């Protein structure tokens, strides 16, 4: 449907199964991006040739990871995929796309699954090289790019050294971790040195999705549901585990960012708080100082990547406050023009739009403010 501002939005993709009369659900603005808005996109993917080559080897490996189908599709096909080309490109098509759509800054992160499917030595080495390449492109375009450092949780000790180098020497803006590593989650004490380092450095960890861990994946192997629903259940579960484990009493200043409108976790606030209260009464679970929703509002921010629903945005701002919602495109997996039209046309105050478009990102990821 088209409203008076020329915004096309859809919420009811009930077209025919062959797609010929499927309703458009992306957004578009008749006059193009609104002038005068600063737009900082915070979940923007890239890859490097080294990492892509190594994922090409994973594509032919005997792993049973649910990530394999995605890895095969992008990295296993003779390098001809247009998507792979857009991931490897940093300074040509990407900058042109940003210019055409009024995107001021992309906060770059090595695309999922990052280095988390490799052995510890390769992963540590590839993370460090990817971070060097990321810092170099930011140096060439300091007004257009920021970057989240990749780390290899497979070796927490070496990851901590890389985190210190990334925030110190490389002056990157935070970290990205793609959910589980070898089916293990960050509430495991083996990963606590990484969390302690992030807290000490005052740097936010973007907890980006990957496919669910092996024990969690069977029902998601059908009907193509994994790439959206599987990612959200995996990553949302990861966040809920961390909250319920008491991690944020140990690390009260630790900050995480969740994409895809918070992976839906805040929709469950009442039920999670009810669960926690029930557990406390019966002496089960871990005793927590705060309620789950209080931790989420203190220790997490969320982004709008790939979730262009005005209704979900409205709920998120009401549930979390406008200071905790950041804009993102999820380039090159999602179209930039639609993500821009979505927030340009969102029925929110201009003050909140500025927060979501750039002020929150500048604060959370310590990006320059223009
Ligand atoms: Mn993404």
């Amino acid at each position: 449907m088209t409203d008076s501002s020329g915004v096309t939005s859809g919420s009811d993709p009930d077209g025919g199964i062959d797609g010929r009369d499927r309703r458009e659900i992306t957004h578009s603005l008749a006059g193009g991006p609104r002038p005068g808005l600063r737009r900082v996109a915070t979940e923007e993917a890239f890859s490097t040739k080294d990492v892509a080559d190594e994922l090409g080897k994973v594509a032919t490996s005997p792993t049973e990871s649910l990530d394999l189908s995605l890895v095969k599709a992008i990295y296993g096909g003779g390098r001809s995929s247009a998507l792979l080309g857009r991931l490897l490109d940093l300074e040509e098509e990407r900058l042109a796309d940003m210019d055409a759509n009024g995107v001021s800054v992309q906060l770059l992160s090595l695309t999922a699954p990052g280095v988390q499917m490799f052995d510890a030595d390769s992963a540590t080495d590839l993370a460090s090289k990817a971070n060097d390449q990321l810092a170099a492109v930011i140096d060439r375009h300091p007004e257009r790019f920021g970057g989240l450092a990749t780390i290899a949780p497979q070796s927490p000790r070496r990851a901590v050294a890389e985190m210190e180098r990334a925030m110190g020497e490389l002056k990157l803006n935070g970290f990205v971790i793609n959910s589980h590593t070898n089916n293990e989650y960050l509430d495991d004490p083996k990963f606590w040195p990484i969390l302690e380092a992030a807290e000490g450095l005052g740097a936010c960890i973007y907890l980006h999705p990957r496919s669910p861990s092996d024990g969690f994946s069977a029902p998601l192997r059908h009907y193509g549901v994994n790439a959206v629903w599987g990612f959200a259940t995996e990553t949302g579960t990861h966040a809920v585990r961390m909250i319920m484990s008491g991690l944020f009493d140990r690390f009260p200043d630790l900050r995480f960012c969740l994409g895809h409108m918070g992976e839906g976790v805040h929709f469950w606030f009442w039920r999670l708080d009810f669960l926690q209260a029930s557990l406390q009464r019966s002496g089960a679970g871990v005793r927590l100082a705060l309620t789950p929703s209080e931790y989420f509002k203190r220790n997490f921010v969320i982004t709008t990547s790939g979730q262009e629903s005005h209704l979900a945005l409205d709920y998120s701002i009401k549930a979390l406050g406008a200071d905790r919602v950041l804009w993102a495109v999820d380039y090159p997996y999602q179209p930039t023009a639609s993500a821009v039209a979505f927030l340009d046309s969102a029925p929110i105050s201009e003050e909140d739009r500025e927060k979501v478009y750039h002020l929150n990102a500048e604060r959370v990821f310590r990006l320059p403010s223009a």
Side-chain angles (χ1 to χ4, degrees):
M1 65 181 194
T2 302
D3 69 16
S4 56
S5 63
V7 178
T8 305
S9 65
S11 54
D12 186 15
D14 63 350
I17 54 168
D18 61 359
R20 275 178 303 182
D21 59 348
R22 183 179 301 139
R23 289 187 201 167
E24 187 60 60
I25 68 160
T26 54
H27 302 259
S28 62
L29 279 172
R34 281 173 50 184
L37 287 172
R38 179 170 171 79
R39 300 180 182 87
V40 176
T42 53
E43 189 198 305
E44 314 311 321
F46 79 103
S47 192
T48 69
K49 188 176 176 307
D50 290 343
V51 171
D53 284 345
E54 207 60 30
L55 285 170
K57 294 178 199 165
V58 171
T60 58
S61 74
T63 174
E64 290 182 8
S65 166
L66 186 49
D67 272 319
L68 188 59
S69 57
L70 176 144
V71 167
K72 269 186 182 162
I74 302 179
Y75 306 95
R79 302 316 225 36
S80 59
S81 132
L83 186 56
L84 179 57
R86 284 197 287 276
L87 287 166
L88 293 173
D89 161 66
L90 283 162
E91 298 175 84
E92 292 179 21
E93 189 185 340
R94 182 182 303 259
L95 280 170
D97 179 85
M98 292 165 65
D99 290 343
N101 292 292
V103 176
S104 314
V105 176
Q106 275 195 0
L107 181 66
L108 299 165
S109 45
L110 185 70
T111 196
V115 298
Q116 288 166 245
M117 292 183 83
F118 309 143
D119 68 80
D121 288 346
S122 304
T124 301
D125 183 47
L126 285 164
S128 173
K129 284 184 184 155
N131 292 337
D132 285 342
Q133 290 180 50
L134 180 55
V137 78
I138 296 167
D139 273 348
R140 289 197 292 278
H141 305 277
E143 293 169 0
R144 307 308 301 279
F145 294 128
L148 300 178
T150 292
I151 60 167
Q154 294 94 321
S155 174
R157 182 182 55 81
R158 287 180 289 175
V160 167
E162 181 63 10
M163 292 169 80
E164 288 165 354
R165 189 182 80 94
M167 294 303 289
E169 187 186 324
L170 300 184
K171 299 193 168 24
L172 293 177
N173 303 92
F175 306 106
V176 60
I177 295 178
N178 299 285
S179 202
H180 75 87
T181 304
N182 294 327
N183 307 310
E184 294 179 313
Y185 291 83
L186 293 171
D187 49 274
D188 188 317
K190 74 195 283 182
F191 297 121
W192 287 358
I194 291 172
L195 306 180
E196 186 176 19
E199 184 186 47
L201 291 161
C204 183
I205 298 173
Y206 204 121
L207 191 71
H208 188 280
R210 61 177 291 192
S211 296
S213 54
D214 292 348
F216 193 25
S217 68
L220 295 156
R221 290 177 185 270
H222 307 279
Y223 313 124
V225 299
N226 180 51
V228 169
W229 191 251
F231 287 0
T233 50
E234 159 68 21
T235 315
T237 300
H238 199 155
V240 170
R241 279 182 64 110
M242 290 196 291
I243 289 169
M244 300 299 276
S245 75
L247 202 67
F248 297 106
D249 288 335
R250 182 173 293 267
F251 304 111
D253 295 321
L254 182 59
R255 293 292 178 271
F256 280 94
C257 181
L258 290 175
H260 314 100
M261 217 62 95
E263 313 294 359
V265 172
H266 52 307
F267 190 84
W268 292 80
F269 272 177
W270 188 90
R271 200 154 159 76
L272 289 169
D273 289 353
F274 180 83
L275 168 67
Q276 178 60 17
S278 307
L279 290 170
Q280 308 275 61
R281 268 198 306 276
S282 64
V286 175
R287 187 150 287 279
L288 303 178
L290 303 178
T291 64
S293 63
E294 286 170 338
Y295 290 111
F296 197 85
K297 286 185 269 192
R298 186 185 71 179
N299 295 92
F300 289 79
V301 296
I302 71 168
T303 81
T304 63
S305 57
Q307 182 67 286
E308 298 169 11
S309 158
H310 287 157
L311 189 59
L313 176 67
D314 179 62
Y315 174 76
S316 297
I317 288 174
K318 285 173 178 159
L320 305 175
D323 293 328
R324 312 202 73 77
V325 183
L326 286 61
W327 180 68
V329 177
D330 210 359
Y331 181 93
Y333 300 104
Q334 297 283 139
T336 308
S338 177
V340 168
F342 156 69
L343 193 58
D344 277 20
S345 66
I348 58 177
S349 70
E350 293 308 309
E351 187 188 352
D352 286 356
R353 199 181 328 273
E354 295 278 337
K355 289 180 176 180
V356 176
Y357 253 145
H358 71 101
L359 293 172
N360 294 337
E362 289 157 1
R363 182 187 77 247
V364 172
F365 295 111
R366 297 194 225 150
L367 288 158
S369 57

